[in-house]
Structure formats: C-alpha cells, structure tokens
Amino acid sequence: SMLIPKVVGFKLTGQIPVGATATDVVLTITQQLRNHGVVGKFVEFYGDGVASVPLANRATIGNMSPEFGSTVAIFPIDDVTLDYLRITGRDSDEIALVEAYAKAQGMWHDPSQEPDFSEYLELDLSTVVPSIAGPKRPQDRVELSTSKASFERDLKSYAPSFSAPVPVKGKDYQLDHGAVTIASITSCTNTSNPSVMIAAGLLAKKAVEKGLTAKPWVKTSLAPGSKVVTEYYKKAGLTDSLDQLGFQLVGYGCTTCIGNSGPLADEISAAVNEGDLAVTAVLSGNRNFEGRINPDVKMNYLASPPLVIAYSLAGTMDFDFETESLGSDQDGHDVFLKDIWPTPGEVQETIDSSINSEMFTSQYASVFDGDSRWQSLPTPEGALFDWVSDSTYVRKPPYFEGMSLTPSPVTDVHAARALVLLGDSVTTDHISPAGSIKADSPAGIYLMEKGVGRVDFNSYGSRRGNHEVMIRGTFANIRLRNQLLQNVEGSYTRDFTTTEGSQSFIFDAAENYRAAGTPLVAIAGKEYGSGSSRDWAAKGTSLLGIKVVIAESFERIHRSNLIGMGVLPLQFPAGQHAASLGLDGTEEFDFTGIEELNNGKTPRTVHVVARPTAHSAEGKAVIEFDAVVRIDTPGEADYFRNGGILQYVLRSLVA
C-alpha cells in the first residue's frame, strides 16, 4: 500500500551558540532539507547535537515536514524526551515504562552509534546564526545580519519602486514598503518552547524599561499554544511588559499562522491599498506562504518570538539591527537590539524559577471541560449527524451522491479544457481556501445571498464544513498567478465557454464548464502541492470538476490526496514542461489509456493529445505526448477505481 521510502540520516553535532535560538535551528534545518530534496523520504535525526534540541522544537521540525517535503521527520527518544514528560506532569511509572520500552526495542538514542541510512546530511549547531525566513516560503532563510539587504532585493518583485510613502488618514505618520503591519507570537508548536517564549518576555521587559514602544501601525498579538505559557509569564512578572508593547493575549490556538490575524485597522488598510504598498508581517509561526497571513500583506517572515517583538519595535523590515537604533532611552541614549537581548543565563534562571510540572497538570486537568458557553451548546442524540439545511457552517457534502454499491468503470477523459495554468512551487495554500473571505468574492457573494452580514463572514477555516463556501474559495489565493491571464493575480481564469474566452472568477468558469458537461484539467510546474493545507486542496480541486492535474513534479501528500478525491495526477515526460511542449492552456485535451485501470493494471503512461481551439493562436499545431501516471501503489489504484478513498472505505464497510 506504500512505497518503501529512502531514509535520510540528519546528523546534528555541536551546541547552539549564544545569540541564536532554537527557532533559528528550525529554519536552518528546513532550508537544508528543502535544498537537499526529501520529497517522499523519511528524515531521522541523530548525533551528539540531538540533545541540544528542545523537545518542543523537535515537534516544530516534525510539524514542518510538509514544508521541506518529507513524509515524516523523527527524533529518537532520549533523556530530553523524559525531561519533557517530567516537566509536563507525567506519572513516574509511565516515564520509567517509556525509557525501558525504548531501550528494549533499540529505539533509545545512542549518539556513539552511526546508523545506516539511504542518504546523509549533517549540521554543526555551532554554525547556526540568528535568522528569519521569507518573504513567502519557510525554506527561504535569511541571516538576520543580511536581512535588510535581502528585503531590499526581494522588494523588487513586489513593488515598482523602493519607496512610496503614503500618509495614514487621521495619523501623524506615513506607511511605506516594508512596514511591519503584523507582529504576532503565534503557533501551536513554537510557543510551546519555554526558552524562546521566556526570551521574548525578557526582551519585552527590557524594552519597556528602556522606554521603547511598538510602532503604532503594527498589529501585535500573543497566541500561545497552551495556558501554561500565560501562567509562567504571570509568575515571572513578564505579562505587564508584553501588554505594554501590545502583545496581549488574544486566545489559544491557530491565529495569524493560518490567516486568522483579523483585519488591519481601517486607516492602515486604506493606506496600504491606496499606495499598493508591499507591507510585511513577522510571526513566530511555521508557515508564511503567499496570501496566507492577511490579504493586505504581501511579504511574510518567520522569526523567533523575541525577534517578533524586536521587529514590532523597529516597525519595518528595512532595518539593520546591528547598526540602527530601536529608539532612545530615558537619558536620550540610543538603544540597540543587543542592549535588550536576554542572555542564556537570564533565560534559564527565569525558566527555573517560573515553570514547574504542577502548572501542566492543573491546566490540562480541565482542558476538555470548556466554559459555560461550550457546556450549554445543544447536543443532538442518535447515531447519525443531524444536518441543518440552512446552516452556512456545516452542510451535507456531495461526495456520496449517486454512489452505487459497485464502482463504475474508469473512463478516459475527452475534450477537457484548462481551468488553470500555473508555474512552479504552487503550494496547497494557493489552492486551498484559507484566511479571510472577501465580500466581492464568490464565497462572499454566496454568504450574503444566505443572509450573512460582512461582519459575520468569519474565515474559510471556520467554514470548512460547508463545501459551498470552500469550493468557491479553491484557487482563491490573492497571490495566485494563473498564466491563462496576463499580469493578473487572484482567483481568475479565462472562461472558454465564452466566445472571447473572457476573464472570470475560477468558480464561475467551473460552473459554466459543469453546465456544458466539459471536464477540466489543471496544468502546473515543479513542486505542485507543497505546503500543509491538505484536505481541501484536493477536495476543492475535485468539486470544481477537475479530472486531471498534470505537473512537472508533485509533493507527495497532495499527489496522494488528489487520488483520494478521484483526480488523476499525471507528470510531464522527464525534462519537459508545459512551455517546452508548447502548451498555453487554450487547447482541448484528450487523455487516453486511463481505462487500462479497469483491467486491474495501472498504466505507466497515458497518451495526451492537445488540439488547438478557436481560442488558440492561428496556426497552432496539435501537441501529443505520453504523460507518466502518478498512481504509485496498488492501494492508490483501488482508491482511484472507486472514485476516491471515501467511496472505497464506504464500499468496503458494506461489502
């Protein structure tokens, strides 16, 4: 049911140097793994340096497997693991059992042993330096010392000029490219690491003592992954300082990292849009893909929690922390980042005096109880879900409509049209609905037609149980560049059901194709489907009527999920891509050879014929080639024959 993966051994040596944080280690590892190429592979860490990586950051690295492409990233069990179990209040007998079992099974980490791996990588932790990652991918690591120059170089891709200041209505300041409009300490994993969270609190305390403040245009927030964080902040006396800088608690859970930052202040948003400014967000989350964080923000950077606070003080990405002052203290002296950066000794002393296992046991004892509002929610009884026909949050999905006990034969695809023609590194955040819902988007129009006011739109994530909203948000990323159109960003395509092939919302065009009985194809470049927003990237693709996705290469998870939703993933011949073959998306496509699956076999290739249409340039030739079928296992073939994994499972249950 699966291909046996290669296992990449990642050896860690040395110690994290003074000034660097565990977050810097995570960003460095992410960059190194993506550069090496680990799609479809397992990554296992080993070596003396493993003990220097806190368990919370091991969890972060594992959580970011989709970002560097591996199937999984695992750390061995060791004393650091046991220490984490102790501090989080686990029973001593349970901890002893974990240790005994790991050692008996040969799973206990022994840094003196060099295991056999398929491939090898190595990182000396002493070489890690303070870093950020951006402006659009977690693997785009930038050393903090060169961040100003890097921003200035990257800005050329987002703005026609280096500076274009815009006055903010009703305020005594201007906004320019690079302005930090969001600074958020967020993420379920990064905020579970006491070392970086305490460092952030201490930096805030020192900043306040020096008289520094966050810039007024920065939207600040604190969203830790656990109530334990706020408890040890309070005990350490750091809460007031964070509050004074604007990093008040906004909740526990997914916020800015998944696009739930909320809107910018009206006057800030107006200035940004008036000047088409390339403003920035800095967050301690795991992901910073285009369009994910906020619709007004073009450039997004990942950073450690203390650096998030530092950037809120600086107020711009166009800043050199080594040479530029963050402000002046009460005596008029310049204050630099080095003046307020906490030492490792200060961080450890605060951890030792502020954190204990009782905090974890007391907070987690009632974690599932909820407040009075949660407890008062009506709970229907019975074995079946009680669908509410007029709900705009949860609706009965169409996956099983018209489904029979036995699957229909697989058929070839004829006369398909291209819905999207995309380039390289299109992530699942470009595909999957995420973030806020715009009023003039198909999803916004749908909600207003259902009587939902703009203020109650909420986010795509909150409405993921309503396929009507989510299908309208598929391929709706504001930074999506569909090459069927020229110099257009967003959820737009050419609708070839019209004589002129006029510009249209992707959803509206898909509905016109559906009415005409026309199957659809998506065409893409390398690394199609990278990223982490998984299920709806495939669900939305299927529900739009896309039958085939053909790309130069796929990320493993999205390729597998496409099959799970009955969409056929095909790969261009080695060394070829849409442009080299002469495809421009105006063609009509036939895919033959798919029906071989009905004979119990998975074809290695299918034949593709792309015929010019009335929308194609005059004289355009017919294009033919054989595309590689990316159904990689017999199990995946069974899913596809059934129309998807949901249908396969349901039929298996009733068989």
Side-chain angles (χ1 to χ4, degrees):
S1 62
M2 66 175 284
L3 299 177
I4 302 302
K6 292 182 178 180
V7 182
V8 179
F10 200 127
K11 187 175 184 177
L12 299 177
T13 62
Q15 299 285 327
I16 302 173
V18 174
T21 69
T23 304
D24 301 319
V25 174
V26 172
L27 296 179
T28 303
I29 288 173
T30 299
Q31 180 190 43
Q32 194 168 344
L33 285 171
R34 176 56 80 176
N35 288 343
H36 178 76
V38 291
V39 173
K41 302 174 185 177
F42 285 16
V43 177
E44 183 174 340
F45 293 89
Y46 72 104
D48 292 331
V50 165
S52 298
V53 183
L55 191 133
N57 286 85
R58 299 179 186 185
T60 302
I61 292 168
N63 183 271
M64 292 182 73
S65 285
E67 275 57 66
F68 39 78
S70 71
T71 302
V72 67
I74 54 177
F75 280 82
I77 299 170
D78 60 2
D79 286 323
V80 174
T81 313
L82 302 186
D83 289 342
Y84 180 82
L85 295 176
R86 292 187 187 96
I87 192 64
T88 53
R90 266 59 168 198
D91 181 81
S92 58
D93 290 341
E94 182 181 3
I95 296 171
L97 177 61
V98 170
E99 181 177 6
Y101 180 84
K103 289 180 176 177
Q105 293 294 333
M107 297 169 62
W108 185 264
H109 182 230
D110 182 354
S112 66
Q113 289 189 345
E114 184 90 10
D116 292 329
F117 295 108
S118 310
E119 301 169 9
Y120 293 86
L121 287 171
E122 186 170 343
L123 173 64
D124 181 353
L125 295 175
S126 67
T127 65
V128 172
V129 297
S131 304
I132 59 175
K136 62 179 181 179
R137 299 185 304 179
Q139 66 260 34
D140 297 330
R141 185 181 68 90
V142 178
E143 293 185 8
L144 188 64
S145 60
T146 63
S147 60
K148 180 183 174 88
S150 176
F151 163 75
E152 293 173 354
R153 182 181 63 251
D154 290 334
L155 181 61
K156 297 174 184 177
S157 300
Y158 294 88
S161 62
F162 179 74
S163 179
V166 177
V168 178
K169 186 177 181 180
K171 304 296 181 181
D172 60 356
Y173 55 81
Q174 297 178 322
L175 285 184
D176 205 344
H177 298 308
V180 175
T181 54
I182 293 176
S184 180
I185 298 176
T186 180
S187 165
C188 52
T189 46
N190 280 305
T191 57
S192 297
N193 183 352
S195 67
V196 292
M197 294 300 286
I198 289 293
L202 290 173
L203 188 143
K205 185 173 185 291
K206 291 186 175 188
V208 170
E209 290 171 348
K210 295 283 189 181
L212 301 180
T213 59
K215 294 298 184 286
W217 54 83
V218 184
K219 182 172 187 175
T220 49
S221 62
L222 170 65
S226 168
K227 290 185 177 181
V228 173
V229 176
T230 45
E231 187 170 345
Y232 65 63
Y233 268 163
K234 183 178 180 180
K235 186 174 181 180
L238 301 175
T239 302
D240 289 345
S241 297
L242 288 161
D243 288 348
Q244 288 184 58
L245 292 183
F247 288 88
Q248 292 99 351
L249 175 71
V250 297
Y252 305 92
C254 289
T255 52
T256 306
C257 185
I258 192 59
N260 291 338
S261 66
L264 301 181
D266 290 343
E267 66 275 12
I268 301 295
S269 179
V272 169
N273 287 284
E274 177 187 340
D276 192 22
L277 296 177
V279 297
T280 66
V282 184
L283 59 147
S284 66
N286 296 358
R287 290 156 192 127
N288 59 332
F289 299 113
E290 288 185 301
R292 179 184 177 103
I293 306 304
N294 184 283
D296 288 332
V297 179
K298 292 184 179 181
M299 305 174 76
N300 307 303
Y301 292 86
L302 304 182
S304 65
L307 278 180
V308 171
I309 293 180
Y311 271 108
S312 76
L313 303 174
T316 177
M317 286 302 301
D318 188 27
F319 196 87
D320 187 335
F321 285 106
E322 293 185 4
T323 62
E324 297 182 56
S325 165
L326 292 168
S328 302
D329 63 16
Q330 296 85 344
D331 298 323
H333 299 134
D334 286 342
V335 179
F336 295 87
L337 181 59
K338 63 183 179 181
D339 299 325
I340 58 174
W341 193 268
T343 67
E346 290 172 324
V347 172
Q348 191 58 52
E349 181 181 344
T350 306
I351 290 175
D352 293 342
S353 62
S354 306
I355 303 177
N356 56 62
S357 60
E358 196 277 329
M359 290 180 174
F360 291 88
T361 54
S362 62
Q363 289 293 348
Y364 291 162
S366 58
V367 70
F368 295 114
D369 292 349
D371 60 14
S372 59
R373 291 173 297 178
W374 173 260
Q375 293 174 355
S376 64
L377 286 175
T379 53
E381 297 180 354
L384 299 178
F385 185 79
D386 186 16
W387 300 101
V388 179
S389 60
D390 60 349
S391 174
T392 58
Y393 277 97
V394 181
R395 294 183 64 82
K396 188 176 182 179
Y399 308 127
F400 303 121
E401 290 179 1
M403 177 180 163
S404 59
L405 282 175
T406 57
S408 302
V410 172
T411 60
D412 292 336
V413 176
H414 294 285
R417 299 304 299 261
L419 185 65
V420 290
L421 173 64
L422 306 170
D424 296 339
S425 298
V426 170
T427 72
T428 46
D429 276 287
H430 288 105
I431 308 167
S432 182
S436 60
I437 301 172
K438 287 193 169 186
D440 60 352
S441 69
I445 294 169
Y446 164 83
L447 289 173
M448 286 189 286
E449 290 175 347
K450 295 295 182 181
V452 180
R454 176 68 184 89
V455 70
D456 296 318
F457 274 11
N458 216 319
S459 65
Y460 282 110
S462 68
R463 295 187 181 273
R464 62 186 298 109
N466 183 347
H467 63 279
E468 296 286 5
V469 170
M470 299 301 278
I471 185 178
R472 288 164 170 81
T474 302
F475 291 111
N477 187 294
I478 58 174
R479 305 294 171 224
L480 183 76
R481 285 171 284 277
N482 186 352
Q483 296 172 12
L484 289 175
L485 299 166
Q486 298 296 319
N487 301 318
V488 175
E489 287 188 338
S491 185
Y492 300 100
T493 191
R494 291 186 67 187
D495 184 353
F496 294 126
T497 66
T498 65
T499 303
E500 301 298 326
S502 54
Q503 180 173 314
S504 166
F505 278 120
I506 286 175
F507 171 76
D508 292 341
E511 288 297 286
N512 289 339
Y513 287 122
R514 189 190 312 276
T518 302
L520 298 173
V521 58
I523 306 170
K526 299 173 183 175
E527 298 177 350
Y528 183 72
S530 57
S532 61
S533 300
R534 301 183 186 119
D535 61 332
W536 267 108
K539 289 178 183 176
T541 297
S542 174
L543 291 176
L544 282 172
I546 294 174
K547 301 300 182 184
V548 176
V549 175
I550 181 166
E552 276 190 78
S553 65
F554 290 90
E555 293 289 285
R556 184 196 63 83
I557 298 174
H558 186 59
R559 180 201 61 78
S560 176
N561 285 347
L562 286 173
I563 296 168
M565 290 306 301
V567 179
L568 180 65
L570 299 178
Q571 200 158 301
F572 286 113
Q576 298 288 337
H577 48 79
S580 68
L581 290 166
L583 299 174
D584 61 13
T586 63
E587 303 89 353
E588 188 176 77
F589 294 84
D590 290 337
F591 300 90
T592 56
I594 304 172
E595 294 176 2
E596 185 69 19
L597 283 155
N598 296 322
N599 301 323
K601 301 176 182 179
T602 302
R604 292 179 60 85
T605 62
V606 298
H607 191 61
V608 183
V609 179
R611 296 183 175 86
T613 66
H615 300 100
S616 302
E618 187 176 349
K620 183 175 176 59
V622 175
I623 299 168
E624 297 190 47
F625 60 95
D626 290 333
V628 178
V629 176
R630 288 303 313 277
I631 297 177
D632 292 351
T633 68
E636 289 180 345
D638 286 338
Y639 301 156
F640 188 79
R641 291 187 189 98
N642 278 269
I645 191 171
L646 297 175
Q647 295 86 342
Y648 173 84
V649 170
L650 188 57
R651 289 189 177 110
S652 298
L653 289 173
V654 299

